[in-house]
Amino acid sequence: MDAVNSAVDCVKNLTVAIVESDDNNGHEPQQRRKKQESLKAADAAKPHKSLEAQKPHDKIEITLSNGRLQVGTAWESTPGFVARSISKSLFERAIISVVNEELWDMERPLERSCKLEFLDFEDPKGKQVFWHSSAHILGEAAERRFGCLLCNGPPTDDPPGFYYDMGNMNGIAVQESDWKPLETIANRIIKEKQPFERLIVPKADLLEMFKYNKYKVHFIQEEVPDGTRSTVYRCGPFIDLCHGPHLPNTSRIKAFAITKNSSAYWLGKSENESLQRIAGVSFPEKKKLEEYKQYLEEAAKRNHRKIGQDQSLFFFDEVSPGSCFFLPHGTRIYNAMLKLLKSEYRKRDYDEVITPTIYRADLWKTSGHWDHYEDDMFTFEVEKDKFGLKPMNCPGHCKIFAHRDVSYKNLPMRIADFGAVHRNEFSGALTGLTRVRRFQQDDAHIFCTQEQVGEEIKGIFDFIREVYGLFGFTFKLKLSTRPQKYLGDIQTWNDAESRLATALDSFSAETGSVWEENPRDGAFYGPKIDITMYDALRRDHQCGTIQLDFQLPQRFNLQYVTSQNATGSKNENATVSELPLGYARPVMIHRAIFGSFERMFAILTEHFAGKWPFWLSPRQIMIIPIMSAVNGYVLEVQKAFKENEMYVDVDMSGNTLQKKIRIGQIEQYNFIFVIGAQEQQSRTVNIRNRDDQTTHAKGELIPLQEAIDKLVTLRDQRRLINSI
């Protein structure tokens, strides 16, 4: 009996077993119907299997990543067979294969001579496949328990793992009490070593197969063109519309856990029905799950929303969803971040500008954002004109460039803007400070000649290295290339990508770093370099970006006078070919270091776990008098430090000395000054360092002016270590 008939029998047997079990929570009729529908997938795949068997089984050459050649048979040899022939350990480690740069199932036959490599769980793409397969296990478990209709179940990076959305729950809401039963069912599926089988099915058969599930029908109608075929994957009794690829079988998963349940809108739109979402995580080793749970505990302690509340830094209110209220202490941190960038701008010859918040729709139509971005904007009518709150600053900066005649002598022109921008994020996507509707960017645009591009990008790399180094961040660089939907011609895109790659090669040679390509993830107007940084928990965050743009200068008809003698005047309506002799288009570089101030604020909060370095700290010094007789000197000390622009508080409450010190420690003051009669008489201070236990007993007395000088130096040098 061939694989298809075996799978059919497997589905039938499992259907009977499931109906007879108590996993389905009283939903047997729906579950039986689902299993009956799933049988059609195997029948639809039979013609494809027979066609595959008729393919010519020619000899093929398989080139491994180390250059070694192996001989195989087309439509017969699989990556799994190749891996097993090399070593058992390689096969067991391999999550997925890559055939000619395409992810490929381990048991899917090779079709022609190819390059072949194997990815394990440590590879990001390997993780994605591992968690995608785990989502299918979760989907099967959810069907068994709830008799639900599944929507979509992707792998996720943040948080790591996967989820499945489901509808048709008959009013039942998933509870935390469901987690354990779902894990039990999932572990049973894992032990059954259910193979993931890839089947190719015509669209008409897909619609028939999934006609009972309106969610799947929507995906089929939207994503599968008429007259074509798409893939489904079968895993035991579970069949789902899916591009894959997947693990060889369910037994590769050694640790599986449900981590969260919540509600979610269908397609992420608030006007659609509410669904149930179950999220989970899985690993190829049990110890990795235990390590992940420890990581979650530490991450919970560092959660910026918790620290923000504990330290009175910010809050949110439903009167303005997705817009943050920064309290005085939070604003101190915000301003320190702002001051850092402004000081760097002065060093690097950036000019700060202020631009409008509201623009007519005409501006966004000229820039091309209206066609690509209108749904993500806040738009409204004023006196029958359509307006929008700006979601980014680049079109406004193009207007600044075009406002006056520009000579090559004025280039590069570096324009920086801290204006607030607004983006119409779905309410369900709003997450603390990391996903908001109103935020500020450290947004800058550089207008330069093509010959200046390399040097400007080199300067941006230095800028990034300088700023990220202050926080103790490491980072890596990715070149994101032309997406499917883009503006402009391919040759212009190729030129832009080549320039960025050259700049990356130069930076890599200088620093010993390695960059990688991120295909088809560029902005619609140009390729970009994404900067991914790593925090104290080794989590990655994409904040900074460098984007090369040849499109907006053309759309806004930006021109500058070249070093040649201009023979004509500026042509406000010129096309590229019509530019008069002596004029040229500038290249536009979009550049951000923090990206969103709000998101960077959240990252820094969790990176430092609320223990701010002195220069960023909203609570730098707490002064505690031992007795009321020294209160006058305490206030004098406070005034002296305030005059040097430091944040200094005094605790003259009736609490005991130990309680005052404890409060100062809990509130994460960098330094606590304990002052008594001896300090007053000698005009000194006794300093307790938050991060140095040896200073928490009475130590050496430091003259007041010396303490001021040392702390001014600590702040102005923006040192990471809290030490004088």
Side-chain angles (χ1 to χ4, degrees), residues 4 47 145 214 237 255 272 311 436 451 539 551 563 663 699 711:
V4 173
R145 180 158 180 81
K214 62 181 181 181
N272 290 344
Q311 296 188 0
V436 291
E451 294 74 22
R539 296 174 298 188
Q551 309 302 329
S563 57
I663 290 172
L711 289 178

Side-chain angles (χ1 to χ4, degrees), residues 312-314 325-337 601 618 647:
S312 299
L313 303 179
F314 61 85
F325 290 81
F326 280 96
L327 295 168
H329 287 88
T331 304
R332 292 175 180 181
I333 300 169
Y334 204 101
N335 285 340
M337 295 166 62
F601 191 111
Y647 300 121

Side-chain angles (χ1 to χ4, degrees), residues 570-631:
K570 182 177 178 180
N571 184 346
E572 300 292 347
N573 300 305
T575 65
V576 175
S577 60
E578 293 173 340
L579 281 174
L581 181 64
Y583 282 85
R585 298 270 185 231
V587 178
M588 185 178 185
I589 302 174
H590 305 251
R591 189 244 64 196
I593 309 296
F594 288 169
S596 156
F597 266 77
E598 281 72 6
R599 186 162 182 263
M600 180 59 80
F601 191 111
I603 292 168
L604 290 173
T605 304
E606 298 186 2
H607 178 61
F608 293 121
K611 290 189 173 185
W612 301 97
F614 187 74
W615 69 273
L616 264 181
S617 179
R619 295 177 175 86
Q620 294 174 326
I621 302 167
M622 168 64 80
I623 306 176
I624 299 175
I626 294 176
M627 60 193 74
S628 60
V630 299
N631 285 355

Side-chain angles (χ1 to χ4, degrees), residues 358-361 378-389:
I358 302 170
Y359 293 96
R360 277 193 170 91
F378 288 101
T379 60
F380 49 90
E381 285 191 3
V382 178
E383 297 177 348
K384 298 184 180 180
D385 258 351
K386 196 73 175 282
F387 284 78
L389 294 177

Side-chain angles (χ1 to χ4, degrees), residues 16-75:
V16 174
I18 290 165
V19 170
E20 291 175 351
S21 76
D22 59 359
D23 288 341
N24 50 45
N25 229 13
H27 294 285
E28 292 91 346
Q30 289 184 341
Q31 187 69 1
R32 276 199 300 269
R33 183 184 67 179
K34 172 65 181 81
K35 297 308 165 185
Q36 290 166 357
E37 296 290 343
S38 70
L39 293 175
K40 296 180 182 178
D43 293 332
K46 284 182 180 180
H48 167 68
K49 287 289 184 181
S50 60
L51 286 172
E52 184 177 295
Q54 296 171 16
K55 296 283 186 179
H57 288 214
D58 298 328
K59 295 298 180 184
I60 58 174
E61 286 190 347
I62 303 165
T63 306
L64 302 177
S65 57
N66 61 4
R68 176 181 167 187
L69 284 177
Q70 285 209 187
V71 176
T73 304
W75 300 100

Side-chain angles (χ1 to χ4, degrees), residues 327-387:
L327 295 168
H329 287 88
T331 304
R332 292 175 180 181
I333 300 169
Y334 204 101
N335 285 340
M337 295 166 62
L338 192 63
K339 185 177 180 180
L340 166 64
L341 290 179
K342 289 193 174 191
S343 67
E344 289 292 327
Y345 284 164
R346 285 191 290 273
K347 285 166 47 180
R348 300 171 188 276
D349 292 327
Y350 282 78
D351 288 312
E352 190 178 340
V353 298
I354 300 172
T355 52
T357 301
I358 302 170
Y359 293 96
R360 277 193 170 91
D362 294 348
L363 179 80
W364 309 108
K365 291 175 182 177
T366 299
S367 70
H369 288 92
W370 196 258
D371 292 335
H372 294 263
Y373 216 84
E374 181 187 2
D375 291 343
D376 298 310
M377 294 173 61
F378 288 101
T379 60
F380 49 90
E381 285 191 3
V382 178
E383 297 177 348
K384 298 184 180 180
D385 258 351
K386 196 73 175 282
F387 284 78

Side-chain angles (χ1 to χ4, degrees), residues 176-436:
E176 191 168 344
S177 58
D178 291 305
W179 294 10
K180 188 65 176 176
L182 284 168
E183 289 173 352
T184 299
I185 300 170
N187 286 324
R188 190 181 308 156
I189 293 167
I190 290 167
K191 289 179 180 178
E192 290 170 356
K193 297 185 179 181
Q194 296 179 6
F196 286 90
E197 187 174 6
R198 179 177 182 268
L199 307 171
I200 301 177
V201 183
K203 180 175 181 177
D205 290 341
L206 288 173
L207 290 171
E208 176 65 23
M209 184 189 311
F210 290 105
K211 66 182 180 182
Y212 64 92
N213 187 325
K214 62 181 181 181
Y215 311 111
K216 300 299 181 185
V217 168
H218 171 85
F219 290 135
I220 295 166
Q221 295 285 25
E222 289 292 314
E223 298 178 13
V224 184
D226 291 342
T228 65
R229 302 181 299 175
S230 188
T231 53
V232 296
Y233 273 80
R234 178 171 53 214
C235 180
F238 179 76
I239 294 180
D240 200 8
L241 183 72
C242 180
H243 291 300
H246 284 284
L247 295 170
N249 63 67
T250 58
S251 69
R252 291 296 188 95
I253 296 162
K254 305 301 182 184
F256 183 103
I258 306 297
T259 57
K260 185 179 179 181
N261 66 270
S262 61
S263 59
Y265 292 117
W266 164 235
L267 300 178
K269 296 182 178 180
S270 58
E271 63 268 24
N272 290 344
E273 68 176 293
S274 181
L275 306 172
Q276 296 288 302
R277 174 172 295 179
I278 303 175
V281 71
S282 60
F283 296 95
E285 300 175 57
K286 289 184 178 180
K287 71 174 184 178
K288 288 186 178 294
L289 178 58
E290 295 307 313
E291 291 169 355
Y292 180 69
K293 288 179 178 179
Q294 293 173 7
Y295 156 82
L296 288 180
E297 290 177 6
E298 180 61 27
K301 295 175 187 175
R302 293 171 177 259
N303 187 293
H304 73 276
R305 285 168 286 189
K306 178 181 183 299
I307 292 172
Q309 180 177 344
D310 293 345
Q311 296 188 0
S312 299
L313 303 179
F314 61 85
F315 70 93
F316 289 89
D317 193 283
E318 282 304 307
V319 297
S320 185
S323 300
C324 181
F325 290 81
F326 280 96
L327 295 168
H329 287 88
T331 304
R332 292 175 180 181
I333 300 169
Y334 204 101
N335 285 340
M337 295 166 62
L338 192 63
K339 185 177 180 180
L340 166 64
L341 290 179
K342 289 193 174 191
S343 67
E344 289 292 327
Y345 284 164
R346 285 191 290 273
K347 285 166 47 180
R348 300 171 188 276
D349 292 327
Y350 282 78
D351 288 312
E352 190 178 340
V353 298
I354 300 172
T355 52
T357 301
I358 302 170
Y359 293 96
R360 277 193 170 91
D362 294 348
L363 179 80
W364 309 108
K365 291 175 182 177
T366 299
S367 70
H369 288 92
W370 196 258
D371 292 335
H372 294 263
Y373 216 84
E374 181 187 2
D375 291 343
D376 298 310
M377 294 173 61
F378 288 101
T379 60
F380 49 90
E381 285 191 3
V382 178
E383 297 177 348
K384 298 184 180 180
D385 258 351
K386 196 73 175 282
F387 284 78
L389 294 177
K390 67 178 177 183
M392 68 280 293
N393 290 304
C394 30
H397 290 182
C398 287
K399 297 297 288 185
I400 286 178
F401 184 96
H403 175 66
R404 61 186 176 90
D405 289 336
V406 177
S407 164
Y408 73 96
K409 296 178 181 178
N410 304 123
L411 302 180
M413 182 186 294
R414 306 182 186 100
I415 299 175
D417 197 328
F418 292 109
V421 296
H422 296 78
R423 296 182 183 176
N424 189 13
E425 302 282 0
F426 293 124
S427 58
L430 300 176
T431 311
L433 289 173
T434 59
R435 196 74 174 267
V436 291

